[in-house]
């Protein structure tokens, strides 16, 4: 039993099914990320955890207490909103105190809590200001302060950083992570940004069309995505999907990659049972850009790296690396190379592929062939 | 912009002066009746009879104003406008306050606590804003009869509250839809209930809209003649009806100066309200139209 359990939760409006049976469970102190494109139901799910939205069926339990019928104020939660939702007519101090006053916390204790929260978030000098006199980052802090003052079992964050500019977003991201480490609180965090998801989460639920496509740790989701959708959603630049015909050779999966002039056979890892069923059929090879690189940048300790020839179509320098686009089996494929080894358009380059990291997907079911 | 102004061509300058000239002419045209009213009200009857309509009074006399306020005859009563002025106040203040508060409440529910059919409900209310006064007179008279309300002021308060509600609801609803719903969500999580959210959070940020409603309703109710003449009687009549009676009382000489003074007295409250609250009115009407 965990800090938050979501069991077969569904939400429909008439015939429109927003959530189609969600099952999630996290332990105390964990940082859960709900990530997905807009309209995937992640915010609806968060609102249902908060009690702002009704559940059509299923069960939500916070700290082992089923809260389906409880009103938001009785769920022992606090929430930070995308628009911050600070009360415009109240000073920062009043904003933080509002919930405490309603809860009839004694005045002296209120002062104490406000002072502690303000110190934690370094907003002591802002306490007498109105929200309209604050910058975006400061409003964000106040919104978090209001949540912290409650000292709840569960924190809910609804895209809290998406109204900030890029630089501030990275700063606040680190700060939220730091706060989580320091306070050890349980957090549910909704975002559409896969980088935020990767950097912040202990557990990530990748959602699409009202379903959880995969639920796991960031590294699991990154290294072994359950399906094409998760594989393509997480990671930037996105994973390359190359259609190939699967073969088998000496217990290893083998695929042929054609650079336009020469077909080259590439030996992947040991073939699994699931993969063997697809021998001779079309599958999709998933390769992350950093696993396709120039020989120099490749990890020298890796044995059986597979090398292949390709012609550079475009180079995009990012600074530390240069993204090199080549064509393999007729699709544009991005390789992440050292700037020195990137070559220029039209030039032939040698790339090496890490066979242990390459993934295979069933094109019909879109599931990974484990 | 400033740089552009320096390099204006002669043609542009001429055009600008023409625009000013036209604007000034319009201002004079619109202010002329007020000027005539004011100057006439300070003249003596003799001067009105012999003099020019547009000329200034030769000497300022407040006799007409005194008469209009306390001794002019409206029909058979000869107590001036004073009692009717107070009637109008007694009717207007509660009617304005009630319709504004209830409108705010309606707007709050229609924007933040949508219920099944709330949009249809709002649409029906909207239709109410297009209904002319005349259409509702008969049904209103029947309802008032059924309710057996005798007192003129109470009857008029009820009528004006009901007729004004669709406007105040519209104003508040349109303002509250621009307020992020997350504000209400945040307050609910903080533990605030339906009424606390309304009184502690939404109402305090609605000052511009409250001003719009106060001005709108004050003007509507104070200036109303039709409801006043139909649903009130005798000494309970509002000032607009009394003014009509005063001007139409045809015994002896027509006292234009008194008529004018009485008309200005009747118009004064709305003028004052506009002078004080005009800037809020514009600000409130455009609130939410532009972000910020």
């Amino acid at each position: 039993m965990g800090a938050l359990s979501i069991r077969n939760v569904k939400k429909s409006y008439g015939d429109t099914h927003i959530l189609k049976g969600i099952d999630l469970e996290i332990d105390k102190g964990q940082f859960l990320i709900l990530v997905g494109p807009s309209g995937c139901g992640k915010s609806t799910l968060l609102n249902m955890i908060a009690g702002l939205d009704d559940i059509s069926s299923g069960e939500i339990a916070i700290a082992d207490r089923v809260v389906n019928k409880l009103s938001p104020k009785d769920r022992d939660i606090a929430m930070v909103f995308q628009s911050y939702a600070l009360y415009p007519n109240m000073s920062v101090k009043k904003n933080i105190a509002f919930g405490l006053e309603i809860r009839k916390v004694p005045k002296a204790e209120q002062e104490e809590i406000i002072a502690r929260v303000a110190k934690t978030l370094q907003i002591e000098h802002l306490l007498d200001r109105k929200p309209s006199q604050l910058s975006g980052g400061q409003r964000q802090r106040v919104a978090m302060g209001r949540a912290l003052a409650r000292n709840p079992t569960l924190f809910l964050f609804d895209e809290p950083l998406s109204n900030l500019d890029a630089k501030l977003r990275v700063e606040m991201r680190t700060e939220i992570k730091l706060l989580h480490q320091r306070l050890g609180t349980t957090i549910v965090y909704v975002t559409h940004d896969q980088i935020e998801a990767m950097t912040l989460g202990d557990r990530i639920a990748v959602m699409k069309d009202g379903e959880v496509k995969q639920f796991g740790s960031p590294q699991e989701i990154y290294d072994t995505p359950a399906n094409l959708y998760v594989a393509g959603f997480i990671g930037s630049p996105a994973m390359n999907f190359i259609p190939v015909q699967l073969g088998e050779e000496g217990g290893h999966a083998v695929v042929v990659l054609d650079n336009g002039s020469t077909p080259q056979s590439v030996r992947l890892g040991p073939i699994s049972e699931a993969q063997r069923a697809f021998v001779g059929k079309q599958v999709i090879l998933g390769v992350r850009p950093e696993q396709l690189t120039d020989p120099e940048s490749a990890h020298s300790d890796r044995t059986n790296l597979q090398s292949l020839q390709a012609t550079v179509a475009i180079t995009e320098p990012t600074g530390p690396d240069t993204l090199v686009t080549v064509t393999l089996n007729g699709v544009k494929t991005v390789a992440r190379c050292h700037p020195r080894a990137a070559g220029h358009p039209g030039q032939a380059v040698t790339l090496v592929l890490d066979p242990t990291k390459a993934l295979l997907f069933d094109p019909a079911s879109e599931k990974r062939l484990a | 912009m400033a740089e552009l102004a320096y390099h204006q061509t002669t043609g542009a300058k001429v055009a600008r002066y023409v625009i000013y000239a036209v604007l000034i002419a319009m201002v004079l045209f619109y202010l002329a009746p007020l000027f005539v009213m004011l100057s006439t009200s300070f003249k003596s009857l003799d001067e009105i009879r012999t003099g020019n309509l547009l000329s200034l009074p030769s000497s300022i006399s407040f006799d007409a104003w005194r008469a209009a306020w306390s001794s002019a005859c409206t029909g058979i009563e000869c107590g001036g406008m004073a009692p009717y002025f107070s009637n109008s106040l007694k009717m207007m203040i509660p009617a304005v306050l009630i319709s504004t508060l209830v409108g705010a409440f309606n707007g709050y529910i229609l924007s933040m606590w949508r219920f099944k059919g709330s949009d249809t409900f709002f649409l029906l209310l909207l239709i109410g804003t297009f209904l002319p006064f005349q259409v509702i007179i008969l049904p209103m008279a029947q309802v008032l009869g059924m309710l057996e309300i005798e007192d003129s002021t109470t009857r008029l308060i009820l009528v004006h509250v009901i007729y004004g509600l669709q406007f105040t609801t519209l104003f508040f609803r349109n303002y509250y839809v621009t307020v992020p719903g997350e504000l209400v969500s945040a307050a609910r999580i903080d533990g605030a209930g339906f009424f606390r959210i309304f009184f502690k959070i939404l109402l305090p940020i609605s000052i511009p809209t409250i001003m719009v409603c106060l001005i709108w309703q004050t003007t509507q109710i104070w200036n109303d003649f039709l409801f006043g003449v139909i649903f009130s009687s005798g000494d309970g009549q509002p000032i607009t009806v009394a003014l009509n009676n005063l001007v139409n009382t045809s015994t002896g000489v027509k006292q234009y100066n008194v008529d004018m003074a009485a008309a200005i007295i009747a118009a004064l409250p709305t003028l004052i309200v506009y002078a004080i609250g005009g800037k809020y009115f514009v600000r409130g009407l455009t609130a939410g139209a532009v972000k910020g």
Side-chain angles (χ1 to χ4, degrees):
Chain A
M1 286 288 134
L4 173 69
S5 310
I6 299 169
R7 300 180 204 116
N8 197 24
V9 163
K10 291 181 185 166
K11 176 73 181 175
S12 338
Y13 293 102
D15 281 339
T16 324
H17 303 292
I18 309 288
L19 294 174
K20 304 164 185 167
I22 305 286
D23 282 288
L24 294 171
E25 175 130 10
I26 52 167
D27 294 328
K28 196 172 180 314
Q30 280 191 323
F31 200 132
L32 168 67
I33 305 271
L34 304 176
V35 66
S38 46
C40 72
K42 56 190 192 297
S43 288
T44 309
L45 182 58
L46 193 75
N47 282 342
M48 283 160 68
I49 298 170
L52 297 170
D53 231 333
D54 292 331
I55 303 168
S56 300
S57 74
E59 205 172 68
I60 291 178
I62 296 170
D64 296 335
R65 184 173 58 130
V66 176
V67 295
N68 285 24
K69 297 261 183 270
L70 293 183
S71 70
K73 69 179 164 70
D74 298 322
R75 294 190 176 201
D76 201 13
I77 51 161
M79 190 158 169
V80 178
F81 294 89
Q82 180 175 359
S83 68
Y84 318 131
L86 299 177
Y87 311 128
N89 53 318
M90 302 181 197
S91 68
V92 168
K93 193 174 171 179
K94 281 259 160 63
N95 259 282
I96 298 174
F98 188 65
L100 301 173
E101 277 169 19
I102 294 175
R103 258 154 251 278
K104 302 200 168 63
V105 175
K107 203 84 192 154
E109 199 177 322
Q110 279 184 30
E111 295 286 337
E112 208 176 289
I113 292 171
I114 293 168
R116 175 172 53 78
V117 166
K119 192 158 181 283
T120 311
L121 293 166
Q122 294 155 7
I123 50 171
E124 289 130 313
H125 58 296
L126 305 175
L127 284 178
D128 293 324
R129 295 211 200 154
K130 288 278 176 70
S132 56
Q133 298 166 299
L134 304 179
S135 70
Q138 290 170 332
R139 286 180 203 188
Q140 179 63 65
R141 273 167 208 270
V142 174
M144 288 192 342
R146 195 169 59 178
L148 279 181
R150 296 275 314 275
N151 194 22
T153 327
L154 190 62
F155 278 98
L156 306 174
F157 285 83
D158 189 5
E159 309 223 16
L161 302 183
S162 46
N163 281 5
L164 299 176
D165 64 60
K167 190 163 177 286
L168 202 54
R169 198 179 309 160
V170 175
E171 269 176 44
M172 288 305 291
R173 198 171 71 198
T174 317
E175 219 161 300
I176 291 177
K177 182 134 194 173
L178 211 63
L179 204 66
H180 175 242
Q181 277 171 9
R182 199 145 42 111
L183 302 175
T185 45
T186 317
I187 296 179
V188 181
Y189 187 107
V190 163
T191 181
H192 61 267
D193 181 351
Q194 51 96 11
I195 298 178
E196 254 172 50
M198 288 295 292
T199 48
L200 285 173
D202 292 322
R203 310 281 285 156
I204 299 179
V206 183
M207 294 181 65
K208 193 200 175 198
D209 301 334
E211 287 172 342
V212 173
K213 291 288 178 185
Q214 190 173 2
F215 181 46
S217 73
Q219 210 58 51
E220 271 166 33
I221 291 203
Y222 191 79
D223 289 340
T224 54
N227 47 53
L228 278 177
Y229 178 75
V230 175
F233 188 78
I234 301 286
S236 173
M239 185 185 273
N240 297 303
F241 295 128
I242 309 165
V244 290
Q245 189 172 23
L246 188 63
E248 190 187 344
E249 197 181 285
H252 282 260
V254 173
V255 296
V256 175
L257 294 175
D258 186 350
N259 63 11
S261 51
T262 357
Q264 305 159 79
S265 177
V266 175
R267 205 163 90 127
L268 304 175
I271 197 161
S272 71
E273 278 311 308
Q275 290 167 352
R276 186 164 281 137
F278 280 82
V279 167
K281 293 185 190 155
Q282 284 289 318
V283 293
I284 289 171
L285 173 69
V287 183
R288 292 210 182 271
E290 69 270 21
Q291 288 143 17
L292 189 64
T293 183
D294 59 286
E296 259 183 83
S297 309
H299 294 286
S300 49
D301 56 332
R302 288 280 158 77
T303 52
N304 63 36
L305 287 175
Q306 301 289 303
S307 62
L308 57 133
Q309 302 294 316
T311 310
V312 177
I314 305 167
T315 59
E316 295 165 284
T318 64
D321 311 296
T322 296
L323 302 177
V324 177
T325 305
V326 299
T327 305
L328 291 174
N329 287 8
V331 293
K332 294 226 177 319
T333 307
V334 177
R336 183 180 286 222
C337 297
H338 191 277
R340 247 185 298 124
H344 23 81
Q347 200 181 341
V349 287
T350 303
L351 299 171
V352 296
L353 187 150
D354 185 345
T356 56
K357 297 270 185 177
L359 306 170
L360 293 170
F361 296 92
D362 173 0
S365 73
E366 303 202 338
K367 288 207 163 62
R368 184 169 58 88
L369 301 171
Chain B
M1 290 297 271
E3 263 175 47
L4 279 177
Y6 281 117
H7 299 290
Q8 262 181 0
T9 58
T10 327
K13 266 185 198 158
V14 171
R16 189 146 291 271
Y17 286 127
V18 170
I19 290 170
Y20 284 141
V22 170
L23 285 176
I24 289 167
M26 284 184 175
V27 167
L28 291 178
F29 182 75
Y30 275 99
L31 283 180
L34 182 66
F35 168 76
V36 171
M37 282 173 76
L38 267 175
S39 80
T40 306
S41 73
F42 290 117
K43 288 176 186 173
S44 66
L45 266 181
D46 284 341
E47 200 183 345
I48 294 169
R49 233 174 285 126
T50 55
N52 183 315
L53 188 68
L54 288 172
S55 65
L56 285 165
S58 55
S59 67
I60 302 271
S61 152
F62 287 97
D63 292 346
W65 284 79
R66 261 191 294 272
W69 183 248
S70 55
S71 68
C73 294
T74 57
I76 48 165
E77 305 277 333
C78 288
M81 303 289 275
Y84 302 101
F85 192 92
S86 114
N87 279 349
S88 269
L89 273 184
K90 275 187 252 168
M91 162 194 80
M92 179 193 79
I93 292 171
V96 168
L97 293 182
I98 294 171
S99 59
T100 302
L101 191 70
V102 178
F105 215 73
N106 284 351
Y108 168 57
I109 294 168
L110 287 173
S111 55
M112 297 298 180
W113 301 87
R114 305 256 174 115
F115 50 91
K116 211 177 160 90
S118 61
D119 284 340
T120 317
F121 186 84
F122 179 61
L123 195 75
L124 291 174
L125 260 178
L126 260 187
I127 293 173
T129 62
F130 298 112
L131 286 182
F133 276 24
Q134 292 83 341
V135 174
I136 66 164
I137 289 172
L138 206 57
M140 186 63 88
Q142 284 178 320
V143 171
L144 287 175
M146 279 191 282
L147 292 176
E148 294 178 3
I149 301 169
E150 304 289 335
D151 178 53
S152 289
T153 306
T154 316
R155 288 161 71 103
L156 286 179
I157 289 173
L158 185 70
V159 171
H160 282 300
V161 165
I162 291 172
Y163 193 78
L165 262 185
Q166 59 263 39
F167 293 96
T168 55
T169 303
L170 174 74
F171 293 147
F172 277 101
R173 186 264 182 193
N174 283 0
Y175 173 61
Y176 288 148
V177 289
T178 67
V179 173
E182 291 187 344
L183 212 55
V184 172
S185 298
R188 283 175 66 195
I189 288 178
D190 265 342
F194 182 83
F195 289 101
R196 198 194 292 256
I197 294 173
F198 179 64
F199 286 110
K200 288 275 185 172
I201 295 166
L202 283 173
L203 214 50
I205 61 172
S206 318
I207 305 290
T209 310
I210 293 174
M211 291 307 289
V212 168
C213 281
L214 291 182
I215 293 170
W216 175 269
Q217 284 296 83
T218 303
T219 317
Q220 291 288 314
I221 296 172
W222 186 273
N223 286 347
D224 163 68
F225 174 73
L226 195 62
F227 287 159
V229 80
I230 293 169
F231 298 124
S232 68
S233 55
D235 52 8
Q237 287 172 330
I239 194 162
T240 43
V241 180
L243 177 65
N244 176 64
N245 294 346
L246 181 141
V247 173
N248 286 340
T249 300
S250 51
T251 49
V253 189
K254 194 118 190 86
Q255 294 186 302
Y256 288 110
N257 50 357
V258 176
D259 291 356
M260 292 301 182
I264 294 171
I265 289 172
L268 215 48
T270 44
L271 274 177
I272 292 171
V273 164
Y274 264 98
I276 296 172
K279 63 176 185 205
Y280 289 100
F281 191 69
V282 177
R283 210 186 288 164
L285 279 184
T286 54
V290 190
K291 212 181 149 202

